[in-house]
Amino acid sequence: MEEELKCPVCGSLFREPIILPCSHNVCLPCARTIAVQTPENEQHLPALLQPRGSAPPAAAAAAPGTGLGPGPAASLDSECAAGGGVDHADKLSLHSETDSGYGSYTPSLKSPNGVRVLPLVPAPPGAAAAQRGAGPAGSSLTCPQCHRSASLDQRGLRGFQRNRLLEAIVQRYQQGRAAAAAAKCQLCDRSPPEPAAVLCEQCDVLYCAACQLRCHPARGPFAKHRLVPPPGAPGPPGGGDGGGKGAGGGRKLPTCAEHDLENYSMYCVSCRSPVCYQCLEDGRHGKHDVKALGAVWKQHKAQLSQALNGVSDKAKEAKEFLVQLKNLLQQIQENGLDYEACLVAQCDALVDALTRQKAKLLTKVTKEREHKLKVVWDQINHCTLKLRQSTGLMEYCLEVIKENDPSGFLQISDALIKRVQVSQEQWVKGALEPKVSAEFDLTLDSEPLLQAIHQLDFIQMKLPPVPLLQLEKCCTRNNSVTLAWRMPPLSHNPVEGYILELDDGDGGQFREVYVGKETLCTIDGLHFNSTYNARVKAFNSSGVGPYSKTVILQTSDVAWFTFDPSSAHRDIVLSNDNQTATCSSYDDRVVLGTAAFSKGVHYWELHVDRYDNHPDPAFGIARINVVKDMMLGKDDKAWAMYVDNNRSWFMHCNSHTNRTEGGVCKGATVGVLLDLNKHNLTFYINGQQQGPPAFENVEGVFMPALSLNRNVQVSLLMGIPLRSYVER
């Protein structure tokens, strides 16, 4: 956290910090150092503002009131004109960019923290007093972090708000550090004594870790003694209120910068600044969106805490990632040594000609290992830097949250929230994944003949690794399943294609259902209410790799389907998302459903929306190649019940059987029960079974089917569970 408490100019802990308009902080003494005048008001440096290599105007040298005569500045002008002082003039050049809101300059000094500071320039008479006071109009201050320039008004640096919250945190940090440094073990024989690790409340003695084990064992009469951290030791993150008293932490409530007698009570959302009641009365914030100070304080605290949770999770992942990288280093070292030993053994077994080639091959292995080590070390350094920055920001934010000064908190809360969000966003996807693997994909082939020794080299072709099934993308819909997979990260072995295998839904043998290069595959036409096992493997020119893990997929127990426009007769008219069917012809035409059944028990219903002139619609099942231009059931590809307003008949191969009383009308419902476990077909009208099961020994693959003419309109009712009367 100490980095968050250091001034970007001087590199030391903040002293009297002020908040710049860009939400960054800077010490007040440092702000006086980097505050400069804009070029329009730099009347006392006319020669330094000229372009390089151009002579200063003659009038500028004798301009009245500038205070520049034949002195140091005039000498500098002459040196610049002669070419000897060009570098100094360049270092003091100023460029005004106030229109864009940014300012830039090229100072010649550097602060201890690496921030460049403009050197002091002789000012005209009378300007010194103004700079010591409020500051002349036209002065500007450039933020040393984001380089955004801010103009100073007549109040000068006093126009910027004092960051009391940061000042209090710095003071508390200094006190804690001093107390921690002063807490030394009181029983140590070493010189100097070791830092104290614990304080016994009963003994009132500070112990280091070694002296605690030797002089204060956790047994006997000392077992009930309470050991606490020594004074000044940092407490748990987020714990306590920093020793504050009441809402203000024991400090005097801050007063308004504009009205000294008024305390902050409201928060101006438009200006993002706390205001007092008098500010609203004066009208400056009268038309702005103003909210209660305490409510906005709690809201911003909650936002900062929420944003910190994300950074905390990323920091935890980063720590785990560092452990992974360090283990990766060890694996790379071990694997590299193994490959070297194998390579030396093979080369020593060959004839003398292999000796010269051995050195080259060892060099390749060494370079590969050094490359991997360098990549991993670069990742470790990069991740460590990010982690340190995030951890420092977290500790700083936790200290800010401890503060009970609403106005001081709200001065910096927006900027902190943005910083925390940006810090979280820097952990982009893939940032916590190793860039290299620990494996060395090098295989030495020692089989070639002696004349090929000088061409000896590593071959990198291996069997492809095990594909990883992406379970979040695997799914089932109706009687189809979709599977997705990918190769493991850091896999360099080439893959030419994949083989997807599926069992029969009854735990039988696997069969190939897909061979190709895609990593996403959908298999249609499976059994409903069945459990399928699927697995995939990859292959290349070296052979077929191992199988992936087996994934279990369950198809839908209830069929969801619509009428199929692609297989329907051209006179069939579909509407309502292909769930309603009618016909444009007076002759009977057939339409099929989109689902195919070969196993299980299935039930669906059809609602008669329109029924004119006593037609004979037919309901049932059919094969995909059923005749579409005549009544359903007249050929051997369909099994149906056709019905009028009084009676119904079963029909297959144009054979009429089982006439039953009871017909249909507008609003009637026809149910179809296909039981492929018992191989029969049963019909219902308005919930009443129409005779015994219509057909026996029904086997094969069937689709819901319907035939009708222009006098009938039927709607499909999908996803209906088996009703009690159907189950009986």
Side-chain angles (χ1 to χ4, degrees):
M1 183 183 67
E2 185 173 351
E3 294 181 3
E4 297 287 335
L5 305 181
K6 289 183 178 180
C7 173
V9 177
C10 63
S12 303
L13 296 178
F14 281 106
R15 297 169 296 162
E16 303 178 66
I18 59 175
I19 304 176
L20 302 180
C22 57
S23 299
H24 291 123
N25 301 280
V26 67
C27 292
L28 182 58
C30 297
R32 295 193 185 102
T33 304
I34 64 175
V36 297
Q37 284 189 320
T38 56
E40 291 79 5
N41 294 310
E42 288 288 336
Q43 301 293 333
H44 60 291
L45 289 176
L48 299 181
L49 299 180
Q50 298 300 323
R52 296 188 189 182
S54 62
T66 60
L68 290 177
S75 300
L76 181 60
D77 292 344
S78 61
E79 291 178 8
C80 293
V86 174
D87 183 58
H88 295 284
D90 177 60
K91 291 180 179 179
L92 294 176
S93 61
L94 303 175
H95 304 279
S96 174
E97 300 178 12
T98 54
D99 292 340
S100 63
Y102 290 88
S104 63
Y105 52 87
T106 310
S108 59
L109 302 179
K110 285 190 177 181
S111 70
N113 202 32
V115 178
R116 308 175 95 177
V117 181
L118 191 73
L120 297 177
V121 179
Q131 291 178 352
R132 288 193 302 268
S139 296
S140 64
L141 182 66
T142 302
C143 176
Q145 290 183 276
C146 65
H147 305 295
R148 182 180 291 273
S149 180
S151 299
L152 279 67
D153 56 16
Q154 293 298 330
R155 295 177 298 172
L157 296 176
R158 291 182 300 173
F160 297 124
Q161 297 185 25
R162 184 86 163 265
N163 194 336
R164 298 182 306 276
L165 191 63
L166 177 58
E167 195 171 359
I169 293 175
V170 170
Q171 183 179 3
R172 188 166 62 242
Y173 177 78
Q174 290 176 323
Q175 293 174 351
R177 188 168 60 177
K184 300 293 184 178
C185 178
Q186 296 175 313
L187 299 178
C188 254
D189 296 332
R190 300 178 181 88
S191 181
E194 292 289 327
V198 294
L199 168 67
C200 177
E201 291 186 339
Q202 284 71 25
C203 302
D204 195 20
V205 175
L206 293 168
Y207 298 93
C208 66
C211 292
Q212 177 196 351
L213 295 175
R214 185 177 69 254
C215 305
H216 199 286
R219 62 182 182 273
F222 298 105
K224 296 183 179 180
H225 286 201
R226 184 183 178 191
L227 301 177
V228 297
D241 58 355
K245 299 178 181 179
R251 294 188 299 270
K252 180 182 178 181
L253 292 177
T255 57
C256 178
E258 301 290 338
H259 309 92
D260 295 339
L261 300 180
E262 296 288 342
N263 292 330
Y264 289 122
S265 59
M266 305 295 289
Y267 181 76
C268 179
V269 180
S270 303
C271 300
R272 296 185 178 182
S273 174
V275 296
C276 68
Y277 176 77
Q278 192 64 33
C279 294
L280 302 180
E281 291 292 327
D282 292 346
R284 179 181 176 184
H285 302 274
K287 296 182 179 180
H288 292 179
D289 184 10
V290 180
K291 295 183 179 180
L293 185 67
V296 181
W297 172 45
K298 293 180 180 179
Q299 177 186 355
H300 282 217
K301 267 197 172 185
Q303 291 178 1
L304 181 58
S305 299
Q306 184 177 3
L308 276 176
N309 290 335
V311 178
S312 177
D313 293 340
K314 292 300 180 182
K316 182 179 179 181
E317 293 180 16
K319 292 180 180 178
E320 297 174 352
F321 180 57
L322 286 175
V323 174
Q324 180 184 355
L325 290 178
K326 292 178 180 178
N327 292 335
L328 188 62
L329 283 175
Q330 183 178 358
Q331 294 177 11
I332 291 174
Q333 291 281 12
E334 294 175 355
N335 291 341
L337 294 174
D338 291 342
Y339 270 88
E340 286 184 0
C342 178
L343 181 61
V344 171
Q346 287 181 334
C347 290
D348 289 342
L350 299 177
V351 294
D352 294 340
L354 287 175
T355 305
R356 294 185 297 271
Q357 193 71 13
K358 180 175 63 174
K360 298 180 181 179
L361 298 176
L362 281 173
T363 302
K364 286 188 177 182
V365 174
T366 304
K367 287 183 178 179
E368 180 73 7
R369 185 184 68 212
E370 291 176 351
H371 169 70
K372 289 178 178 288
L373 293 174
K374 181 179 182 302
V375 172
V376 176
W377 272 118
D378 290 344
Q379 274 195 283
I380 289 178
N381 295 333
H382 183 64
C383 186
T384 302
L385 177 61
K386 283 188 177 181
L387 179 61
R388 185 173 66 250
Q389 293 173 349
S390 298
T391 304
L393 180 58
M394 287 172 53
E395 294 176 354
Y396 174 61
C397 291
L398 291 173
E399 291 296 327
V400 170
I401 291 177
K402 293 179 184 179
E403 287 297 313
N404 296 318
D405 180 1
S407 60
F409 179 85
L410 293 174
Q411 286 178 333
I412 63 173
S413 59
D414 285 325
L416 276 181
I417 292 172
K418 290 180 181 178
R419 287 186 60 193
V420 171
Q421 292 172 345
V422 170
S423 178
Q424 182 178 359
E425 293 171 358
Q426 75 176 349
W427 301 98
V428 296
K429 184 178 179 181
L432 298 182
E433 293 182 1
K435 293 183 178 180
V436 296
S437 68
E439 299 295 330
F440 282 67
D441 299 326
L442 306 171
T443 302
L444 183 63
D445 185 4
S446 59
E447 296 299 326
L449 298 174
L450 186 60
Q451 58 267 29
I453 288 179
H454 293 289
Q455 298 178 357
L456 188 64
D457 202 349
F458 292 104
I459 61 172
Q460 300 187 6
M461 183 65 71
K462 288 185 177 180
L463 292 177
V466 179
L468 302 178
L469 287 169
Q470 295 182 275
L471 299 181
E472 68 277 6
K473 295 182 180 180
C474 297
C475 63
T476 61
R477 184 182 183 275
N478 227 5
N479 64 332
S480 66
V481 297
T482 299
L483 295 108
W485 59 89
R486 65 179 177 87
M487 296 307 294
L490 305 177
S491 173
H492 304 294
N493 297 335
V495 175
E496 297 180 5
Y498 302 93
I499 300 174
L500 176 62
E501 296 182 355
L502 205 69
D503 68 357
D504 60 358
D506 284 328
Q509 295 294 324
F510 282 91
R511 56 189 175 91
E512 292 184 3
V513 295
Y514 171 77
V515 178
K517 296 182 178 181
E518 299 296 328
T519 58
L520 182 71
C521 181
T522 299
I523 303 98
D524 299 316
L526 302 177
H527 300 308
F528 285 92
N529 195 22
S530 299
T531 301
Y532 287 88
N533 296 302
R535 63 188 184 185
V536 65
K537 58 184 177 181
F539 63 87
N540 58 21
S541 58
S542 295
V544 180
Y547 284 106
S548 68
K549 293 183 178 179
T550 300
V551 61
I552 301 175
L553 299 167
Q554 174 73 35
T555 55
S556 175
D557 56 345
V558 177
W560 292 81
F561 60 91
T562 61
F563 292 120
D564 186 7
S566 62
S567 63
H569 192 277
R570 61 180 178 274
D571 293 337
I572 294 292
V573 179
L574 300 180
S575 59
N576 188 26
D577 294 331
N578 296 332
Q579 297 181 41
T580 300
T582 185
C583 184
S584 61
S585 172
Y586 285 104
D587 297 324
D588 291 317
R589 304 299 188 220
V590 174
V591 59
L592 302 178
T594 55
F597 305 118
S598 59
K599 177 184 175 184
V601 181
H602 308 281
Y603 177 78
W604 63 94
E605 292 181 348
L606 300 112
H607 185 267
V608 180
D609 301 329
R610 180 167 55 84
Y611 187 82
D612 301 330
N613 301 324
H614 309 297
D616 298 333
F619 309 88
I621 59 175
R623 301 194 190 277
I624 186 65
N625 57 346
V626 65
V627 179
K628 307 286 195 320
D629 56 358
M630 60 184 180
M631 179 181 286
L632 190 69
K634 286 195 172 184
D635 64 352
D636 62 346
K637 302 295 191 301
W639 294 257
M641 176 190 72
Y642 74 95
V643 60
D644 60 15
N645 61 327
N646 291 319
R647 292 162 295 184
S648 64
W649 294 264
F650 299 153
M651 185 166 64
H652 174 63
C653 292
N654 205 22
S655 174
H656 306 251
T657 58
N658 291 77
R659 188 182 77 173
T660 306
E661 299 298 324
V664 297
C665 60
K666 180 180 179 180
T669 300
V670 177
V672 181
L673 174 63
L674 176 61
D675 189 343
L676 292 173
N677 297 333
K678 298 180 179 179
H679 307 289
N680 59 33
L681 182 66
T682 308
F683 296 96
Y684 300 83
I685 297 179
N686 294 328
Q688 299 297 322
Q689 182 174 335
Q690 293 299 102
F695 304 102
E696 302 290 342
N697 299 322
V698 178
E699 294 183 2
V701 179
F702 304 97
M703 308 178 76
L706 165 71
S707 68
L708 71 169
N709 58 27
R710 67 183 305 167
N711 293 312
V712 185
Q713 178 177 305
V714 174
S715 292
L716 178 63
L717 304 178
M718 302 178 300
I720 301 174
L722 299 178
R723 298 183 177 179
S724 58
Y725 63 82
V726 174
E727 294 172 352
R728 292 197 298 268

